[in-house]
């Protein structure tokens, strides 16, 4: 059977930023009615290709054709008009308005100059219904969790017909890492919607670092490395090992070595002790000990209280019961500065809102926490500072390896590494890592996990939070299991502890 004509063809796409060639002559095509993964390591150029397609960045070379016609896409609005819809990870809707209003905002139907509210509600309900979603369009958007808000954003972007209201005007739907903060059920709901749209003929471009998800939902994939195209394959024809090798450009066994490692068994004395620590509405009072050199992993579903527990240990939230001792001394924990002073570092999952300053350089961002802990009146000598920064850029393989690059211009995964460097440089006694590998490609992920192991061998204690149970299990001496904002079990890792054991504990709320 002859292949149908691609709905979208990008040919010889070039995009340069000062000092970086983000895309050097990339070809990319997308067929109607397929879900197509765009794959590549952090910084490979995925988001840049998408931004060129959606009119965020002008092209420096190459052509784009839609339905066989050459197009110039000068702005996100022009992209939308041409039938290319994009849903970003951060939902840009108005939480106080109703779902229906959000779906129609900016294109409310009017009659005689008045907005037709009834029609908005009716049509919004039909759109939601047609896509098989169970959402009350009259409820405020904020009454739904972020995942549902994201679905609403998709409905908004694909649900509108061309100006005459006939059919869906969307030919191409772009989703750049939409699943990174969704739990399993939410992912399934999103996938259901994606399949539905695919079956209606929409071409979906999907970016995710979760390989299992790619294999579950995608039909075809395109792999980028270093701003160039390295291959386009049907998903069924390329297995995960082959894919990873294409992405990193070397054989996989160079990445191995993590499986064989033994957790050090001789963890030291108690470093951190929490007794009856809790916060109403955050997490029920819990007791917890972390020993020197111990990795304590936290397992639990999204919203089970993992981050809340970590925030109490860092003084980011105020406990209303209990106390914390670190190295034998009680710490007041009324603010993060108390925790930092006591040797606790917190690398947040939320690199945008709680972490990086996009307009500062990589160097400035890395040095921030160390400088703060020394006090702003005692600047770190330039030579020492530059040496430290260079060391961590190298250790974490931050790309570009340029301390003067602005952090906002780094790819998502590389930003995450800068945040990690910032906290490592303070040489904390306890390092709290909340989803440190989110948005990070497979190669860098293995590196970060190896780093955690070696830090623990050097005597650093680590509190490790990750959505993937295998990850927690592989790295942790002890696994704290959370459920409904309660610490329900603390399991000592060993041969009998498996992911299904942990899942059972999460499900039943107790360890048998
Ligand atoms: N606005 C910008 N200014 C300068 N350089 C940029 C800008 N945006 C991206 N880059 C650079 O272009 C390259 C590709 O980045 P891009 O964000 O496309 O990567 P990515 O494949 O999406 O990575 P990730 O998986 O980490 O999100 C990187 O070297 C990045 O530093
Ligand atoms: Mg990206």
């Amino acid at each position: 059977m002859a292949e149908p004509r691609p709905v979208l063809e990008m040919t010889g796409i070039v995009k340069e930023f000062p000092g970086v060639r983000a895309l050097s002559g990339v070809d990319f095509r997308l067929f109607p009615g397929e879900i197509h993964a765009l794959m590549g390591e952090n910084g490979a150029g995925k988001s840049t290709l998408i931004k060129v397609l959606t009119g965020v960045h002008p092209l420096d070379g190459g052509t784009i054709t839609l339905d066989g016609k050459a197009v110039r896409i000068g702005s996100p609005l022009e992209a939308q008009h041409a039938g290319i819809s994009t849903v970003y990870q951060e939902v840009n809707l108005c939480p106080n308005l109703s779902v229906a209003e959000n779906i129609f905002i900016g294109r409310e139907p009017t009659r005689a100059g008045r907005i037709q509210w009834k029609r908005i509600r009716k049509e919004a309900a039909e759109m939601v219904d047609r896509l098989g979603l169970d959402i009350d369009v009259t409820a405020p958007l904020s009454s739904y969790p972020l995942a549902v808000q994201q679905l609403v954003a998709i409905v908004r972007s694909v649900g509108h017909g061309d100006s005459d209201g006939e059919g869906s005007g969307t030919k191409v739907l772009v989703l750049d890492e939409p699943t990174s903060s969704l739990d399993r059920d939410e992912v399934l709901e999103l996938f259901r919607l994606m399949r539905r749209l695919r079956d209606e003929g929409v071409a979906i471009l999907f970016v995710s670092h979760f390989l299992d998800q790619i294999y579950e939902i995608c039909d075809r994939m395109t792999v980028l490395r270093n701003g160039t195209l390295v291959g386009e394959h049907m998903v069924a024809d390329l297995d995960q090992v082959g894919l990873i090798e294409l992405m990193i450009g070397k054989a996989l066994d160079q990445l191995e070595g993590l499986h064989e490692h033994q957790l050090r068994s001789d963890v030291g004395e108690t470093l951190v002790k929490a007794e009856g620590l809790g916060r109403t509405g955050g997490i029920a009072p819990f007791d917890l000990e972390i020993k020197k050199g111990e990795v304590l992993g936290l397992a639990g579903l999204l919203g089970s209280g993992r981050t809340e527990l970590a925030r109490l240990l860092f003084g980011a939230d105020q406990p209303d019961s209990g106390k914390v001792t670190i190295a034998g001394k009680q710490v007041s924990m009324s603010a993060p500065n108390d925790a930092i002073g006591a040797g606790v570092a917190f690398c947040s999952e939320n690199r945008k809102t709680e972490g990086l300053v996009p307009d500062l350089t990589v160097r400035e961002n890395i040095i921030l926490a160390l400088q703060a802990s020394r006090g702003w009146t005692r600047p770190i000598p330039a030579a020492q500072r530059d040496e430290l920064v260079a060391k961590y850029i190298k250790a974490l393989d931050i790309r570009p390896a340029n301390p003067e690059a602005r952090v906002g211009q780094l790819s998502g995964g590389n930003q995450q590494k800068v945040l990690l460097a910032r906290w490592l440089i303070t040489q904390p006694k306890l390092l709290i890592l909340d989803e440190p590998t989110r948005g990070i490609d497979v190669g860098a992920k293995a590196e970060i996990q190896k780093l955690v192991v070696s830090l623990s061998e050097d005597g650093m204690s680590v509190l490790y939070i990750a959505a993937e149970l295998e990850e927690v299990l592989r790295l942790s001496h002890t696994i704290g299991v959370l459920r409904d904002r309660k610490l329900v079990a603390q399991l000592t890792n060993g041969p009998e502890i498996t992911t299904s054991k942990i899942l059972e504990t999460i499900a039943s709320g107790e360890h048998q």
Side-chain angles (χ1 to χ4, degrees):
M1 200 180 77
E3 274 186 329
R5 184 177 73 176
V7 53
L8 168 75
E9 264 183 296
M10 300 175 81
T11 316
I13 302 295
V14 175
K15 178 69 205 169
E16 280 167 353
F17 295 110
V20 198
R21 195 154 217 241
L23 299 171
S24 12
V26 172
D27 295 339
F28 176 73
R29 49 187 201 154
L30 199 57
F31 291 90
E34 74 173 0
I35 302 178
H36 192 126
L38 185 57
M39 303 297 295
E41 284 187 287
N42 295 134
K46 303 177 294 292
S47 296
T48 304
L49 189 70
I50 286 172
K51 286 179 181 159
V52 163
L53 173 64
T54 55
V56 176
H57 291 321
L59 283 176
D60 294 323
T63 54
I64 303 179
T65 53
L66 257 181
D67 280 334
K69 285 194 281 295
V71 286
R72 278 203 50 237
I73 299 168
S75 69
L77 196 64
E78 281 180 39
Q80 178 79 45
H81 286 318
I84 302 169
S85 299
T86 317
V87 175
Y88 297 98
Q89 198 177 329
E90 301 81 24
V91 178
N92 294 320
L93 297 177
C94 307
N96 306 327
L97 299 183
S98 70
V99 170
E101 287 164 311
N102 270 289
I103 293 177
F104 275 91
I105 206 167
R107 47 194 158 194
E108 299 90 347
T110 52
R111 179 182 289 159
R114 304 179 67 186
I115 295 178
Q116 299 174 284
W117 293 112
K118 248 171 118 176
R119 183 166 154 207
I120 287 180
R121 275 197 293 276
K122 179 163 163 287
E123 288 186 9
E126 280 166 10
M127 281 156 70
V128 163
D129 215 41
R130 188 176 67 81
L131 293 169
L133 299 170
D134 182 19
I135 298 174
D136 173 7
V137 299
T138 61
L141 184 70
S142 58
S143 64
Y144 286 106
L146 206 66
V148 176
Q149 299 188 19
Q150 207 169 42
L151 298 176
V152 171
I154 295 178
V155 173
R156 173 184 161 77
S157 71
V158 303
H160 291 280
D162 299 321
S163 43
D164 58 3
E166 272 305 299
S168 165
T170 297
K171 302 184 181 93
V172 174
L173 172 64
V174 180
L175 302 169
D176 191 357
E177 298 200 51
T179 56
S180 58
S181 44
L182 304 191
D183 69 25
R184 183 66 195 154
D185 286 343
E186 294 167 340
V187 168
L188 290 179
E189 185 73 11
L190 174 68
F191 283 3
R192 228 168 41 77
L193 180 58
M194 285 168 66
R195 290 198 180 98
R196 185 129 180 171
L197 291 166
R198 170 185 66 189
D199 295 344
E200 291 181 4
V202 176
I204 300 178
L205 175 55
F206 180 61
V207 178
S208 163
H209 285 292
F210 298 109
L211 297 188
D212 291 340
Q213 292 184 358
I214 298 299
Y215 280 83
E216 185 177 341
I217 187 86
C218 295
D219 306 300
R220 192 191 297 261
M221 57 183 145
T222 291
V223 185
L224 299 181
R225 183 181 341 125
N226 234 333
T228 58
L229 172 73
V230 290
E232 183 207 85
H233 298 269
M234 295 309 291
V235 170
D237 299 338
L238 184 67
D239 65 8
Q240 293 210 14
V241 172
L243 169 61
I244 294 170
E245 289 180 351
L246 273 186
M247 282 168 54
I248 63 178
K250 53 189 172 199
L252 194 58
D253 47 19
Q254 290 170 264
L255 277 182
E256 292 296 326
L258 197 65
H259 294 296
E260 297 90 63
H261 91 263
Q262 282 288 310
L263 292 169
R264 67 180 256 163
S265 48
D266 57 328
V267 291
E269 307 138 24
T270 302
L271 174 74
V272 180
K273 193 165 180 188
E275 291 166 279
L277 196 65
R279 173 183 165 89
T280 315
I283 185 161
F286 63 90
D287 294 336
L288 188 73
E289 266 186 49
I290 309 176
K291 302 205 169 63
K292 186 170 158 25
E294 178 182 24
V295 181
L296 174 76
L298 293 185
L301 305 177
L302 203 79
S304 60
R306 293 170 305 184
T307 297
E308 285 75 7
L309 189 155
R311 288 176 62 87
L312 283 184
L313 286 180
F314 188 61
D317 290 331
Q318 297 316 301
D320 42 33
S321 68
K323 59 174 187 175
V324 183
T325 23
I326 295 179
K329 279 205 270 316
Q330 187 171 339
V331 185
S332 90
M333 290 293 175
S334 53
N337 264 342
D338 300 328
I340 295 172
V344 182
F346 184 89
C347 187
S348 152
E349 62 180 326
N350 220 338
R351 64 176 173 256
K352 285 237 174 60
T353 53
E354 289 177 42
L356 296 170
V357 188
D359 287 335
L360 294 185
T361 63
V362 168
R363 174 170 54 73
E364 290 163 325
N365 270 284
I366 290 183
I367 218 75
L368 207 67
L370 183 62
Q371 185 62 69
S373 70
R374 281 170 61 107
W376 296 100
T377 51
R378 291 177 49 226
I380 304 160
Q384 187 193 343
R385 179 197 68 193
D386 291 349
E387 190 184 324
L388 271 173
V389 169
K391 178 175 154 200
Y392 281 91
I393 287 180
K394 182 149 184 286
L396 297 176
D397 191 18
I398 293 171
R399 296 183 218 173
N402 172 10
E404 303 307 324
R406 288 201 300 130
V407 155
Q409 305 182 338
L410 264 52
S411 77
N414 281 294
Q415 293 188 11
Q416 185 72 25
K417 294 189 204 169
V418 169
L419 192 57
L420 190 56
R422 171 191 293 172
W423 291 110
L424 287 176
I425 221 167
T426 65
Q427 298 196 297
K429 297 195 185 89
L430 171 66
L431 176 63
I432 302 175
L433 295 173
D434 193 355
E435 297 277 8
T437 60
R438 172 183 296 174
I440 287 204
D441 67 58
V442 272
K445 203 165 176 162
E447 293 305 324
I448 286 181
Q449 294 176 6
K450 278 191 215 164
L451 186 76
V452 168
V453 171
S454 80
L455 290 171
S456 120
E457 276 165 358
D458 294 342
M460 195 184 289
S461 309
V462 181
L463 180 70
Y464 196 87
I465 303 178
E468 284 176 62
L469 283 184
E470 290 78 14
E471 203 175 318
V472 173
L473 192 61
R474 195 155 57 225
L475 295 177
S476 312
H477 298 91
T478 310
I479 297 146
V481 181
L482 286 125
R483 175 194 155 95
D484 297 339
R485 298 177 178 263
K486 232 197 227 136
L487 184 62
V488 292
Q490 295 182 48
L491 315 173
T492 304
N493 205 350
E496 74 291 351
I497 303 293
T498 56
T499 51
S500 41
K501 192 101 220 161
I502 298 175
L503 275 174
E504 271 169 38
T505 310
I506 291 175
S508 68
E510 59 201 60
H511 178 53
Q512 345 269 337

